[in-house]
Structures are given as structure tokens and as C-alpha cells.
Amino acid sequence: MDQRSDHMENVCGYLMKYTNLVTGWQYRFFVLNNEAGLLEYFVNEQSRNQKPRGTLHLAGAVISPSDEDSHTFTVNAASGEQYKLRATDAKERQHWVSRLQICTQHHTEAIGKNNPPLKSRSFSLASQGSGNSPGSQRRPSQNAISLFNVGHSKLQSMGKRTQLQPDHLVEVREMMSHAEGHQRDLIKCIECLPASGHLTSLDQDLLMLKATSMATMNCLNDCFHILQLQHASHQKGSLPSGTTIEWLEPKLPLPNHYKNGGDQNFAPEQNKPVAVREEPSISESGLLTREPEEINAEDEVEDICDNKEDDLGAVEEQRSVILHLLSQLKLGMDLTRVVLPTFILEKRSLLEMYADFMSHPDLFISITNGTTAEERMIRFVEYYLTSFHEGRKGAIAKKPYNPIIGETFHCSWRMPKSNVASSMTTSSSSQAIPDHASLPEPLNQVESDCYTVRFVAEQVSHHPPVSGFYAECAERKMCVNAHVWTKSKFLGMSIGVTMVGEGILSLLEHGEEYTFSLPCAYARSILTVPWVELGGKVNVNCAKTGYSASITFHTKPFYGGKLHRVTAEVKHNTSNTVVCRVQGEWNSVLEFTYSNGDTKYVDLTKLSVTKKRVRPLEKQGPFESRRLWKNVTESLRDSEIDKATEHKRALEERQRSEERHRAETGTPWQTKYFSKEGEGWVYCDALWKTIPVTQPTE
């Protein structure tokens, strides 16, 4: 008896079914027949003894809860037919979805064991130029099916043999080569279709066929690789120690017009090469000298750059590129080395995005003004929770540029002292710190009414991709140092980014250090309108004071729930007392509830954002982010995707060639502002290295 038999119960009830734009949603009575693996529906419950109005075979189907609300879900059958359904509430949707998924898995596995042929939807492309009607062009064809049934009987007979011989691997390789040839012919036929008409090369069904055929061939190649490893292990008796069998990178070549998101080349003029000015190499431009630069504050001006990221057009136009990219990815695949299409890029570097965490310098500076350790920890949590919303430049999720190794970003903020919340009475808190190497020339009398927060970031490693960033307010004797390794993984219809690393906030006036980490980020609904949410648990600790904070960024649950929800608790560890609780949304309103019963609300949409100050491009070094990515940014701003792609490719190729040169000559990479200490990266001229840490008594 099947182990899941207790869960294989028949389910019936009313659901709303979407018919079309005219009819809309209609109540229908649905019956899940687990024994037959069918989902049937009737006009109402009284007519269930009659012939059903519709039937879906669940073997090979995909059951998908919808992102649009907590009630809707879809059933996508292997035949290509789809039911869009809506339950009365989230709990009922969960019940239907779980039962449908159990039934689907049971019958899909049964088909895999028995090997009966599955009906598949495909298209006949041979007659695309014969003037047939659209209906005849869309009739089912055996061409696509035969593509993946090459040598089926031979493979079955091979599976019955007890040992895999070398000539059998040769047979398999020949069959796969034959299948790859058919697959290439299929792709060529689809791409040769006209760009307009009844059946076009941009037809969504054909794009999906192209994507799934590519994914199938990649999977077969991976399986063949595993067979080769197993055969080698039989010959040697065992696999060498340390050998692992893992999924490989895609082996089928990516067509040129898909690389980096280039447009499809239907028209001849689109194939013209884009002229790109050659960037000088490091050796030519004298960048082998990695001495820190002196940043003159007088050169910095208030930032007027406003690269809004609200354009959905490119995402819609490049749907075929996204489908093709998805066909080459596997669940859990590391995306670090995957070249993503250019049109999904933000118009800024990841290093500059880290700087936007400091968009509320008044909240940052006010941390050290707390009169007690408890107040300082709560202020840090408030600053931390308000630092993420400004990092997003629009509602649509886009990816910042991957920094080039050695790339740097500098900026600063000036904050009037009167705007910083203060509870301190000591006069020493506002004294400037002289003779600090990272500070600019002394500020003039007018600027002395402002605190200055300085920021520097550097890409310290390429593989793995690690960024170091540092910010300080020397007048308040406080600084923060962090290093982050971004690890991206493909999760199906979303992409997850884990921020591996640690940050340390140092309050030198109090002799306190606050260690913290960063949450994970997720790009959801990458095939429609991609959006960002944060998720995961973050801990903040101050060993000296014994205060800690636990912050949880909640991802949207399977059904119901709010987006972007965050909760936090600030606790005194010695007494195990919770002194503050926080709840709300990290991009909207936060509610702070204190142990004395007081409540404070922070509306992030109304918080003033202080513009950073940056030097003009002509005064920046060649490896500073904005100057380095200038051509890519300008091309994206002008919607010239091809040109942006070429500029981006030139930068990446230059980085690869210089990396090869260093490997050949045995030359280690020299960082500029950060040095490796243990497992982390530390700013070379951090405040705590030049200013003695005070030990105040409270």
C-alpha cells in the first residue's frame, strides 16, 4: 500500500474558475479523483452524476499558488491546459493546493515507473511557409516528441544490462549528439519564423518549448557526466577521495543574440557591431599602484544624480531572454558566475548601494548620544531598520552592477548638528579629532555647524565576490566597518541573495562594539513584475553592555500575511528582560513599544533623506564606481541595451584578462583601503586604530 494512502482522499467543493475576460469568474463544483488522478468540474453539485464540464489529468501537472492574492492558484496540466481557480479564503486554498500536489506527485511517479507515453503539446514548423491557416500551423506534431524519444527502446534495453560497458557510453553519446542536432534544428526553425503574423518567433508557447528543450538537453548532459564518473569508479574500484558528483554549468552554447540580454537579431541592421571605446588596462593606466587616495572634501558636491528604476518596458520586451536564461538554470544553482542580461541592471554599482544604507546620517550619529547602554542599543536598532528602504530605487527589482575587483566608491554626508537627536550633556562629544589621516583638510567655520560622515567601499575579492565598506563620524568618535560576500542562488521563480559577512559599529566614547549581520534578499516573480523582499533573522550584540537585539525579516507566507513585515526584540541578557519590541514594515511604518508602556511610530515614507556628496566624474579615479561604469550607465539611461552590454562585457573581459595575467606571473592582488584580518576585512585607517578608546562610567 502506498505510504501516502492516508492523504490520498477525494476532495470536492465549490471553487471560482476564471473563464475569460467576458465571462470572468464563475462558481463551479470541483471533484479531485485521487484514484484516477483527475480534477473534474461540474456546473453545480447536483450535476456531478452527469458528464463533467471539464477534466484535467494531474500526472505531470504543476500546482502554483498565485502571488496576486492569498486565494488564487493555478493548475497547469502537462497537456498545456490551465485552470485558474480561486478559493473562498487562504485556508481553503492551502487545503486544495496540498491535496492536488500529493495526487499529482503520486500519479507522476506512477507514470515514471510504467513509462507510458505522455501527451505533449508541440507545433509543426515544417509547413510554416506553405500558407496554411493558423489552425493547421498549431496542430499537434510528433516532431518535438520524437526529438526526446531518440533511441528510447535502445536505452531501455541498455538499462536491463547489469554492467555499463565503454561502447555503451559511446552509443549514448551518439544518441545524445543526434538529439542535440534535432534540438538545434528546432531552435533554428523557431528563430526563422517571422517577427509578426499568425505564428511568430515570439509566440509564448514556442518560447516555452525552446526553453524547456534547452533545459532537457542540459539535464541529459549532466546525467551523461554522472554515468561517466560512475563508469570511472567501477574501473578504479572507487572514486578518488574528495570527488563529488554535482550538477554542471550549462553546456549548450548560448546564442549570441541572447548573451547579456542583447536584442533578437531579426533585422539585418541589428547585427551591426556596436563601437565601444577600448578601456585602458591596469598596466597601461598605472593602476598597479594601490596607494590610498587623499579625498579632498572641497571637491565633493551634493549628488544630483537620480537614476530612477521604474521602467518595466525592458522586462516585458525581453521576456524571451528571461525564458532562455531560466532554461539554463537549476534549483539551487550558484549564480555568482552566471552572466545576467544587461537590461535587468540598476544604474549603479553594488558599492554605491551599500552607501545608501547611510541615507539617514542623523539617526546614525544619534546612536552615540544615548545616555544609557539600553538607549544606545534601541537607537542602533532604529537606525538599522530604517536603513534598507532607501536602498531600493524603485518598485521593480533590478540588480546593481557586480563591482570589479579594486573598484572603490567614496562619498560623504553633512548633517547640521541641530538635526541630530541628543540627550548628552558632555561637551567633549563635539570635539573634532585632529591629525586623522582619513580626514580632509580642516573644515571652515560655516561647516563646523555640521557633522560629517565619510564613507569608503572597495571590492576586495572577485572569487568569492567580497566587498568591504567603512563609514565614520570622527567628531563623534564612531565608525562602522563591514565586509559582505554576496551569494546568489536560483530558487525557481525567484532569486535569493545571501549576504554573508559581519559588521561592527564602534562607539569609541563608550568603549562599545555592536556586531551585526545583514538579511537575505529575494527577487520574486522574475517572469512578470519582479519585486524585492527581505528575509531571515539578524542578531545584534554588544558584549560589553550585555544588550542584544533579535531582528526577523518575515518573507510573505504561503497564504495570507503582509509583505515586508519585520519584528524585533531588544533584550538585556543578564536579566533576560525585553526592554523594547518593534513591529511593522521595513519600507513603511515601524512601531516601537518600550518596557514602560510608551509607544513610538516611525514613518519611513516621511523620513527626510540626506543626499550624499560625491566628487564630479572628472575628479574621480579611473577605478571609482561612477567613472568606471560611466559608459554602461549612460547607455542604460538612453535605453541603448546593446551598447550597454558591450561596455559591460569590455569591463568584465578586462578583469578576466588581468586576473589571468596575475595568475601566470604569480602576482597577488593588492587591496587599497582594506586588509584581511582573520576571516574578515578591516579598513586600514579605522578610527579605533588612531583614537584611544575611552572607558566611561555610567
Side-chain angles (χ1 to χ4, degrees), residues 483 675-682:
H483 63 276
S675 60
K676 188 78 178 291
E677 292 189 12
E679 295 299 316
W681 292 83
V682 176

Side-chain angles (χ1 to χ4, degrees), residues 10 88 94-95 151 171 176 190 198 221 244 249 261 266 290 334 409 415 432 470 489 503 510 646 693:
N10 289 339
T88 54
Q94 172 66 13
H95 180 72
E171 286 185 51
M176 288 178 59
I190 295 175
H198 294 298
N221 272 291
T244 58
E249 294 297 321
F266 297 120
R290 304 294 299 162
D334 185 358
F409 182 79
M415 174 55 55
Y470 172 86
K489 284 196 173 183
H510 306 284
E646 291 302 318
V693 178

Side-chain angles (χ1 to χ4, degrees), residues 461-658:
S461 172
H462 181 48
H463 291 305
V466 180
S467 308
F469 62 88
Y470 172 86
E472 69 176 26
C473 180
E475 293 171 284
R476 301 300 291 116
K477 300 182 184 179
M478 61 186 301
C479 59
V480 60
N481 186 101
H483 63 276
V484 180
W485 171 14
T486 52
K487 298 179 68 176
S488 305
K489 284 196 173 183
F490 178 60
L491 305 176
M493 286 298 101
S494 63
I495 292 175
V497 181
T498 304
M499 313 287 270
V500 181
E502 183 182 69
I504 300 178
L505 170 69
S506 300
L507 304 181
L508 303 182
E509 288 182 339
H510 306 284
E512 297 170 355
E513 287 188 347
Y514 298 74
T515 60
F516 63 93
S517 54
L518 295 172
C520 300
Y522 300 93
R524 306 294 194 190
S525 303
I526 56 180
L527 261 184
T528 53
V529 181
W531 52 279
V532 170
E533 71 170 338
L534 302 178
K537 190 172 183 179
V538 172
N539 292 308
V540 182
N541 290 287
C542 180
K544 178 185 176 181
T545 65
Y547 280 91
S548 66
S550 176
I551 304 171
T552 303
F553 293 85
H554 301 269
T555 56
K556 188 178 184 301
F558 193 67
Y559 60 91
K562 288 185 177 181
L563 290 172
H564 311 307
R565 195 165 68 90
V566 64
T567 56
E569 281 187 352
V570 178
K571 181 185 292 187
H572 185 244
N573 299 328
T574 306
S575 61
N576 200 31
T577 304
V578 176
V579 298
C580 180
R581 286 186 169 88
V582 188
Q583 63 177 349
E585 292 83 46
W586 58 265
N587 62 351
S588 181
V589 178
L590 297 169
E591 178 187 5
F592 291 75
T593 304
Y594 303 96
S595 56
N596 61 4
D598 291 345
T599 301
K600 172 184 175 181
Y601 292 89
V602 178
D603 188 344
L604 280 74
T605 62
K606 296 180 180 178
L607 279 182
S608 61
V609 173
T610 303
K611 286 186 175 293
K612 56 181 172 281
R613 299 173 64 84
V614 295
R615 287 171 300 150
L617 287 180
E618 60 271 14
K619 293 189 177 182
Q620 293 183 14
F623 256 35
E624 291 192 54
S625 296
R626 289 195 177 180
R627 181 173 170 185
L628 183 70
W629 295 95
K630 172 178 175 289
N631 294 329
V632 178
T633 302
E634 290 179 350
S635 299
L636 288 175
R637 191 180 294 125
D638 297 335
S639 299
E640 296 180 336
I641 304 299
D642 282 341
K643 189 178 291 186
T645 298
E646 291 302 318
H647 287 302
K648 175 175 174 286
R649 185 181 292 128
L651 285 174
E652 293 167 342
E653 181 53 39
R654 188 181 75 181
Q655 177 177 227
R656 284 189 286 268
S657 63
E658 290 165 355

